[in-house]
Amino acid sequence: MDESSDLAAEAASATAEARTGGALDVRRAHTYLARPGERLEHIFLLIDGWAARYRLLSDGRRQITAVFVPGDFCDLAWRRARTTTQHVIALTPIRVFRVEIGEFERHIECDPGIRAIVEDEAHLASETQGEWLVSLGRRTAIERLAHLFCELVERIGRVSGNGNGTCEMPLTQVDLADVTGLTPVHVNRTLQQMRRAGLIELKSKQLRLRDFPKLKKIAFFKSSAEGRRFKNNAFGALRLFQGAAAAPYRLSPATEAEERLIIA
């Protein structure tokens, strides 16, 4: 990006922030969006990249309690509590639309479109958290990973006519262990088992489910897509905030192409 583009982006961001309390924000991988005890001032709409919320115990053990992907709001719980007991960290380089919490509430109150997207996001987040709790309490190792993979494919990937599911997969084996409550060694062995069984391919940060219906059965996975679209609506949400901000923000080409496939 050249200097003139940088200045134009900064000017657009400043205009949006002045009008709506919102601005485009770019963060490097492994930087924090929130830390325990800090006062929270903003809600983030994730445009590109992945982030995670986690609880760190005093002995260093970590449990990832949420994974945020393009189209997710991070974190809707901050609307009511201005501090958090958990960290939120960028797992990859990310772009977010940052909205001051008070302005975010005014958008919800005044704009039915934004209100509907926020309500749907809150409902999906609740469903996801419930299934993660079931995984930690009752599912086996292969069922836990299978369920997580099915969930991520439904959230941000695509399923072909022949039953293959694909999505980006930047999560490391340590990340997968901290989501599923397993050890990294157990995750590694389970992934090898799934590969040998011809269930998955995982390479170059891309996940392919070779038999999506079979994995859903293994995971006791109940699709949330029944009767309505399950996919995160990053394109629609960003477009609504663009209308409020009158600023020319765009998704990355890959994310925008994915969203057009969803809308079609």
Side-chain angles (χ1 to χ4, degrees), residues 122-226:
H123 176 69
L124 292 177
S126 177
E127 286 186 344
T128 300
Q129 289 287 286
E131 287 298 330
W132 282 28
L133 183 60
V134 172
S135 286
L136 291 173
R138 286 293 178 263
R139 289 188 176 100
T140 66
I142 192 170
E143 290 167 358
R144 294 181 195 189
L145 287 170
H147 195 280
L148 178 64
F149 292 161
C150 289
E151 174 202 318
L152 291 173
V153 164
E154 283 215 335
R155 286 172 70 184
I156 58 167
R158 61 173 67 92
V159 181
S160 65
N162 62 5
N164 288 334
T166 57
C167 74
E168 182 185 2
M169 178 49 64
L171 300 179
T172 66
Q173 291 190 14
V174 172
D175 294 332
L176 292 172
D178 289 348
V179 170
T180 58
L182 304 169
T183 66
V185 171
H186 200 167
V187 166
N188 182 273
R189 290 174 179 168
T190 305
L191 290 175
Q192 291 182 37
Q193 178 186 352
M194 296 173 82
R195 287 190 180 102
R196 286 194 300 268
L199 296 172
I200 67 167
E201 293 178 10
L202 185 55
K203 59 183 178 181
S204 302
K205 297 186 178 180
Q206 293 293 318
L207 172 67
R208 179 186 174 209
L209 308 184
R210 301 183 65 183
D211 190 339
F212 189 46
K214 184 174 181 179
L215 272 171
K216 288 171 69 174
K217 186 175 181 180
I218 289 172
F220 299 94
F221 184 83
K222 183 176 175 61
S223 174
S224 293
E226 297 172 2

Side-chain angles (χ1 to χ4, degrees), residues 13-164:
S13 181
T15 300
E17 190 157 19
R19 292 184 180 182
T20 67
L24 189 66
D25 199 358
V26 178
R27 304 288 182 97
R28 296 175 180 172
H30 311 303
T31 58
Y32 287 93
L33 296 177
R35 297 174 191 249
E38 292 181 346
R39 180 168 176 79
L40 304 169
E41 303 289 349
H42 298 91
I43 299 287
F44 300 94
L45 169 62
L46 194 60
I47 300 171
D48 295 310
W50 292 40
R53 185 182 68 219
Y54 67 88
R55 174 78 160 85
L56 192 65
L57 301 182
S58 58
D59 61 4
R61 287 176 295 166
R62 181 181 73 157
Q63 179 67 45
I64 293 178
T65 60
V67 172
F68 301 103
V69 297
D72 286 344
F73 288 103
C74 175
D75 187 328
L76 291 179
W78 300 345
R79 295 172 60 196
R80 297 292 178 263
R82 292 301 185 96
T83 60
T84 179
T85 60
Q86 301 189 37
H87 298 78
V88 177
I89 192 169
L91 298 175
T92 68
I94 62 173
R95 284 197 308 156
V96 295
F97 189 80
R98 184 184 73 239
V99 185
E100 193 274 326
I101 292 176
E103 291 294 336
F104 187 81
E105 293 300 320
R106 281 186 278 277
H107 285 314
I108 293 172
E109 182 178 349
C110 298
D111 191 321
I114 291 177
R115 182 165 60 249
I117 286 177
V118 170
E119 289 175 352
D120 191 53
E121 167 79 6
H123 176 69
L124 292 177
S126 177
E127 286 186 344
T128 300
Q129 289 287 286
E131 287 298 330
W132 282 28
L133 183 60
V134 172
S135 286
L136 291 173
R138 286 293 178 263
R139 289 188 176 100
T140 66
I142 192 170
E143 290 167 358
R144 294 181 195 189
L145 287 170
H147 195 280
L148 178 64
F149 292 161
C150 289
E151 174 202 318
L152 291 173
V153 164
E154 283 215 335
R155 286 172 70 184
I156 58 167
R158 61 173 67 92
V159 181
S160 65
N162 62 5
N164 288 334

